[in-house]
Amino acid sequence: MASSVHLTETFTNPPNYSFPHHRLQTVLRDPSKTPIVLVACGSFSPVTYLHLRMFEMAKDYVRQNTSFEIMGGYLSPVSDQYKKPGLLSAHHRVNMCTLAAEDSNTWLMVDSWEAFQSYQRTAIVLDHFDHEINTVLGGVRTESGEHRSVRVMLLAGSDLIGTMSEPGVWSYTDLEHILGRYGCFIIERAGTAIDQATDNLARWRSNIYLISQLIQNDVSSTKVRLFLRRGLSVRYLLPNSVVDYIEQNGLYQDEASSTNQPPNNSTDKGKDRAVSAGSSKKEKETQ
């Protein structure tokens, strides 16, 4: 990893917030490996089986191709201040992610820190995880009691790398922090010029791990919302608990009613142009 300095010295927590770590492995089984935690940032509106499948693909890749050991995985739903079409309120999105994680996995958790406050850049979100896991919780230990710091790594779809390689979309500082300090696992998807994108990010190539989908899955939240508005079934595209939650709460029946629009046509405050552009594109993969 590169610099060990966070981009901020303090972290503001939402009201009544506590960092979830009930499934975080605290003992490193193989002392020769580097402990890591995977973090997927996205809208998750709604969360789909592809979002969950990304973690399993990463787990297989890590086990077979790296010297890492996964200690846990997190879904981090974006704030309502992200203000994009189809973005349901954070309350519902966090609830759906929690249902999906608890029902579908034994090592996946949902962190609501990003969801219930003002918009936070991905670099800051990763810093938050690093702070909570390594500073607050004290990292992990080997079976012999040796302390180890956990490396936080971003998990995302290949569209993310596409936006990162576009000039002016992400700030260089954030790219250096995300790809240089932390690194990322990227799930390849059809239609993304992944080779060109990684060529443009050659400076950080050693920290970008590309994972092929051996069974193609192009389920997206956008398609799920379209199905729901048309009254079509979405079972087996999402966990049953999430489908039940959507039906019980009458969600996504009308795209306009589920969209977080800026009040009084206001725009995101306090962001420069490059950061605003990045926030509008960075999660295209997890729409």
Side-chain angles (χ1 to χ4, degrees), residues 178-191:
I178 295 168
L179 301 179
R181 170 173 166 72
Y182 293 112
C184 64
F185 290 94
I186 300 296
I187 307 297
E188 291 187 274
R189 297 191 70 179

Side-chain angles (χ1 to χ4, degrees), residues 27 29 113 141 172 180 187 237:
V27 178
R29 297 188 180 94
W113 182 84
R141 299 191 178 279
Y172 179 85
I187 307 297
L237 300 178

Side-chain angles (χ1 to χ4, degrees), residues 98-116:
T98 300
L99 288 170
E102 294 298 323
D103 287 353
S104 306
N105 207 291
T106 58
W107 58 284
L108 190 59
M109 293 160 281
V110 179
D111 181 33
S112 63
W113 182 84
E114 181 183 4
F116 292 127

Side-chain angles (χ1 to χ4, degrees), residues 2-164:
S3 168
S4 61
V5 179
H6 291 163
L7 294 179
T8 180
E9 295 183 359
T10 60
F11 297 94
T12 301
N13 292 337
N16 303 315
Y17 170 78
S18 62
F19 181 71
H21 55 90
H22 57 293
R23 288 177 166 177
L24 187 66
Q25 182 181 318
T26 58
V27 178
L28 184 66
R29 297 188 180 94
D30 186 341
S32 69
K33 294 188 175 182
T34 300
I36 65 171
V37 159
L38 302 178
V39 177
C41 300
S43 302
F44 306 119
S45 187
V47 62
T48 73
Y49 271 131
L50 178 55
H51 295 133
L52 304 177
R53 178 67 185 153
M54 286 169 56
F55 284 90
E56 292 300 306
M57 286 186 280
K59 182 173 70 173
D60 286 341
Y61 181 91
V62 165
R63 185 177 64 251
Q64 297 177 359
N65 300 284
T66 75
S67 59
F68 299 139
E69 183 176 322
I70 296 176
M71 313 305 286
Y74 288 90
L75 291 163
S76 180
V78 74
S79 165
D80 286 346
Q81 296 302 311
Y82 185 55
K83 299 186 187 302
K84 52 161 285 185
L87 186 66
L88 204 65
S89 72
H91 168 76
H92 286 307
R93 289 184 289 112
V94 168
N95 284 348
M96 288 187 289
C97 284
T98 300
L99 288 170
E102 294 298 323
D103 287 353
S104 306
N105 207 291
T106 58
W107 58 284
L108 190 59
M109 293 160 281
V110 179
D111 181 33
S112 63
W113 182 84
E114 181 183 4
F116 292 127
Q117 60 176 313
S118 61
Y119 174 76
Q120 300 291 325
R121 304 191 328 270
T122 299
I124 300 298
V125 175
L126 297 181
D127 278 352
H128 152 74
F129 277 96
D130 183 56
H131 171 75
E132 290 289 344
I133 293 170
N134 289 312
T135 300
V136 178
L137 296 178
V140 298
R141 299 191 178 279
T142 64
E143 292 183 343
S144 64
E146 180 186 354
H147 171 266
R148 295 287 179 86
S149 292
V150 178
R151 179 175 177 179
V152 175
M153 301 188 72
L154 183 66
L155 174 64
S158 55
D159 284 5
L160 179 76
I161 286 294
T163 65
M164 283 182 166

Side-chain angles (χ1 to χ4, degrees), residues 186-235:
I186 300 296
I187 307 297
E188 291 187 274
R189 297 191 70 179
T192 302
I194 193 70
D195 292 336
Q196 179 180 350
T198 51
D199 285 346
N200 294 338
L201 300 170
R203 174 184 177 86
W204 303 287
R205 184 63 186 86
S206 62
N207 272 348
I208 301 173
Y209 299 85
L210 302 178
I211 304 173
S212 299
Q213 284 203 71
L214 301 180
I215 299 177
Q216 291 299 315
N217 182 341
D218 67 349
V219 174
S220 71
S221 299
T222 301
K223 293 176 181 177
V224 168
R225 294 196 303 270
L226 179 61
F227 270 44
L228 290 168
R229 292 200 309 274
R230 291 180 176 177
L232 301 176
S233 172
V234 293
R235 291 207 179 265

Side-chain angles (χ1 to χ4, degrees), residues 267-283:
T267 57
D268 291 339
K269 298 180 180 178
K271 296 182 183 178
D272 59 38
R273 187 172 181 178
V275 172
S276 294
S279 69
S280 67
K281 290 185 177 183
K282 68 173 183 173
E283 290 158 298

